Amino acid sequence: MQLIDYSHSFFSVVPPFLALALAVITRRVLLSLGIGILVGVAFLVGGNPVDGLTHLKDMVVGLAWADGDWSLGKPKILVFLILLGIFTSLLTYSGSNQAFADWAKRHIKNRRGAKMLTACLVFVTFIDDYFHSLAVGAIARPVTDKFKVSRAKLAYILDSTAAPMCVLMPVSSWGASIIATLAGLLVTYKITEYTPMGTFVAMSLMNYYALFALIMVFVVAWFSFDIGSMARFEQAALNETHDETAVSDATKGRVYALIIPVLALIASTVSAMIYTGAQASETFSILGAFENTDVNTSLVFGGTCGVLAVVLCTLGTIKTADYPKAVWQGAKSMFGAIAILILAWLISTVVGEMHTGDYLSTLVAGNIHPGFLPVILFLLASVMAFATGTSWGTFGIMLPIAAAMAVKVEPALIIPCMSAVMAGAVCGDHCSPISDTTILSSTGARCNHIDHVTSQLPYALTVAAAAASGYLALGLTKSALLGFGTTGIVLAVLIFLLKDKKRANA
């Protein structure tokens, strides 16, 4: 059937923004996403109910079957979610979570240490944002629960160390993909003074949002800087107890029964990423492997190895009759996240078919002072990623646009402009309730999804305001150092003002 083209119409932004608004107002994510999807489908087929049902069916089937062949990337993510749910449940039933929490309590001593441990784990799990959010959530949750750190704070730390770190690291699924995109852009615009890797490194140094989002995490973790609803969630956490222990009457858990499976999960996932990438590359290199890796297959392999390692390490600590209960409980714990993720994928399909990104990109057309280009691209990429729920999709649309505009208006700004797009894509993805990473961070923390979104938003917007000022300085002066310094100063001032306001309201 012929779908209506909304690439030049304001109506292209209606379905995603309707879903976002309803999610925030009603706090019912599934209902809100469902309404957004149905409204978008109705727009696309001109209101014809029969065509609408047919197209909706095609969209659902398209999650696993596209262009006459199986497309198993998304189903593999769902399988990984179930495997990780089983992984976590087996650790809980065996008492290993509690044993690790008891060990942590003896060695970490306080809430600050629990939060810092969680934040620092990103330096081990930066290879992929999905993997980081779910794996670190499973590792850190018993520790943060033990020290009464709120699930909202845990979700914030997971989310704010996932994409921001992955987008800065060349040896990650994000970094490799971006480098491949940059290589094509450099050839297209005949730019020979930069290599793809050199361009990526330069862009990372100018990715003010990602850099300062990471810095903000450690500020929040160390100084307990709680603003907005986060303060309320943290206070409530001090008065509640999470019981993830004693699910069965098993013998006392063992710390190594958590550490070995987690190491097996990480090592097998990384090995699979390198192997699948190497298979797809003509000549082997670590960067080339990560550039061509099959992330989803690697996650399933790693998750399977992790579950097998848990089973082997917990023999004798879980009753035979409790294994089926643990497996079912773990799988069931992920059903809510899976439902949200499927609907998020469907609304992303709607957004793509309505050409929401194309319409938003036209908003930068016209006569613009070159110095304002980086900050405009940062803000536009933020809005696009927020509306579409995908930073990767925003990269794909906006990086070529940014490069083309910079080459035409001011060639010296090509790297600052592309850096601004990268930063804005991560920022918008960070704030969006329909972002995969946001959903998986709330899943990893076992936190109510909307609680995570609303409690993270003040931090993300604070860093975004500082980054916008940095891109304004960068565009006007062409000095990356001055842009970095401006971002740091503005962020410090905002933190001081928000902290002072918090004291005044206390």
Side-chain angles (χ1 to χ4, degrees):
M1 72 187 71
Q2 186 68 34
L3 301 179
I4 298 174
D5 184 1
Y6 289 92
S7 58
H8 298 286
S9 170
F10 171 77
F11 286 110
S12 67
V13 305
V14 172
F17 279 110
L18 176 63
L20 295 170
L22 288 175
V24 173
I25 294 169
T26 66
R27 299 175 64 84
R28 298 177 67 180
V29 180
L30 294 175
L31 175 65
S32 303
L33 288 172
I35 290 173
I37 292 165
L38 292 176
V39 169
V41 170
F43 279 1
L44 286 166
V45 299
N48 186 310
V50 176
D51 286 348
L53 289 173
T54 302
H55 188 57
L56 187 61
K57 180 264 295 180
D58 292 340
M59 286 168 53
V60 174
V61 172
L63 296 178
W65 179 269
D67 300 324
D69 197 5
W70 291 106
S71 176
L72 299 179
K74 290 181 173 65
K76 286 174 183 176
I77 290 295
L78 303 184
V79 171
F80 178 65
L81 280 172
I82 292 174
L83 286 171
L84 203 63
I86 294 170
F87 178 88
T88 305
S89 181
L90 288 171
L91 290 177
T92 300
Y93 266 76
S94 70
S96 302
N97 279 357
Q98 181 62 28
F100 182 74
D102 291 340
W103 174 88
K105 189 173 181 179
R106 293 194 300 273
H107 293 82
I108 290 178
K109 306 299 183 186
N110 54 38
R111 299 176 82 233
R112 175 184 288 170
K115 290 181 285 187
M116 292 298 290
L117 168 69
T118 306
C120 288
L121 284 172
V122 72
F123 298 110
V124 178
T125 58
F126 59 79
I127 56 170
D128 184 71
D129 55 329
Y130 288 7
F131 175 68
H132 167 80
S133 294
L134 294 169
V136 174
I139 298 167
R141 190 170 57 249
V143 182
T144 53
D145 282 353
K146 194 75 174 179
F147 288 98
K148 297 185 181 295
V149 176
S150 70
R151 294 284 177 85
K153 176 63 71 64
L154 174 58
Y156 161 71
I157 294 174
L158 294 177
D159 207 353
S160 294
T161 51
M165 178 61 86
C166 288
V167 80
L168 295 172
M169 300 299 292
V171 185
S172 73
S173 55
W174 286 54
S177 175
I178 293 168
I179 290 169
T181 301
L182 293 176
L185 290 174
L186 294 178
V187 171
T188 298
Y189 294 105
K190 297 179 175 59
I191 299 171
T192 57
E193 59 267 35
Y194 299 109
T195 64
M197 174 61 81
T199 303
F200 178 84
V201 171
M203 288 168 61
S204 295
L205 295 174
M206 297 181 204
N207 193 332
Y208 302 142
Y209 181 83
L211 291 168
F212 283 93
L214 287 169
I215 292 171
M216 178 67 105
V217 168
F218 287 95
V219 169
V220 171
W222 187 265
F223 295 104
S224 295
F225 176 57
D226 301 325
I227 55 177
S229 59
M230 188 68 81
R232 175 164 50 85
F233 290 128
E234 282 289 273
Q235 187 59 46
L238 293 172
N239 302 318
E240 72 178 345
T241 302
H242 293 289
D243 185 14
E244 288 205 354
T245 65
V247 179
S248 71
D249 55 357
T251 56
K252 185 175 176 59
R254 298 166 290 204
V255 174
Y256 78 82
L258 181 141
I259 294 175
I260 291 177
V262 167
L263 291 177
L265 176 66
I266 294 172
S268 57
T269 302
V270 174
S271 299
M273 290 179 74
I274 293 173
Y275 175 78
T276 57
Q279 293 295 104
S281 306
E282 294 183 3
T283 56
F284 176 78
S285 69
I286 292 295
L287 182 60
F290 277 95
E291 179 180 327
N292 296 291
T293 189
D294 184 341
V295 174
N296 299 335
T297 298
S298 302
L299 289 173
V300 171
F301 177 77
T304 303
C305 291
V307 169
L308 291 175
V310 172
V311 171
L312 291 175
C313 289
T314 57
L315 290 175
T317 60
I318 301 179
K319 288 184 175 181
T320 303
D322 281 343
Y323 274 106
K325 296 178 186 176
V327 170
W328 171 244
Q329 193 70 28
K332 188 171 70 171
S333 70
M334 291 295 178
F335 288 170
I338 287 172
I340 294 174
L341 202 52
I342 290 172
L343 291 183
W345 285 334
L346 289 176
I347 201 167
S348 293
T349 301
V350 169
V351 163
E353 291 177 340
M354 294 194 72
H355 302 286
T356 305
D358 293 339
Y359 170 73
L360 290 173
S361 66
T362 64
L363 300 182
V364 299
N367 296 319
I368 300 171
H369 185 283
F372 294 116
L373 204 51
V375 69
I376 289 173
L377 288 168
F378 170 73
L379 295 173
L380 181 59
S382 297
V383 172
M384 186 180 295
F386 180 83
T388 60
T390 169
S391 48
W392 283 46
T394 304
F395 291 151
I397 293 170
M398 289 298 299
L399 280 176
I401 291 172
M405 292 181 70
V407 167
K408 182 178 180 180
V409 177
E410 177 56 78
L413 287 176
I414 186 168
I415 289 181
C417 285
M418 291 194 296
S419 300
V421 166
M422 284 175 59
V426 174
C427 175
D429 182 81
H430 222 178
C431 299
S432 177
I434 61 174
S435 158
D436 290 3
T437 312
T438 306
I439 294 167
L440 295 180
S441 294
S442 56
T443 302
R446 298 284 173 86
C447 171
N448 177 276
H449 182 57
I450 297 300
D451 287 348
H452 166 47
V453 172
T454 55
S455 60
Q456 175 169 263
L457 203 54
Y459 297 103
L461 292 178
T462 300
V463 178
S469 65
Y471 284 116
L472 183 59
L474 173 61
L476 293 174
T477 67
K478 299 183 178 62
S479 169
L481 186 59
L482 187 59
F484 184 91
T486 300
T487 306
I489 291 169
V490 171
L491 183 60
V493 170
L494 289 174
I495 290 173
F496 176 79
L497 293 175
L498 289 169
K499 190 173 183 181
D500 196 49
K501 181 179 178 181
K502 177 186 167 188
R503 284 176 179 170
N505 293 335

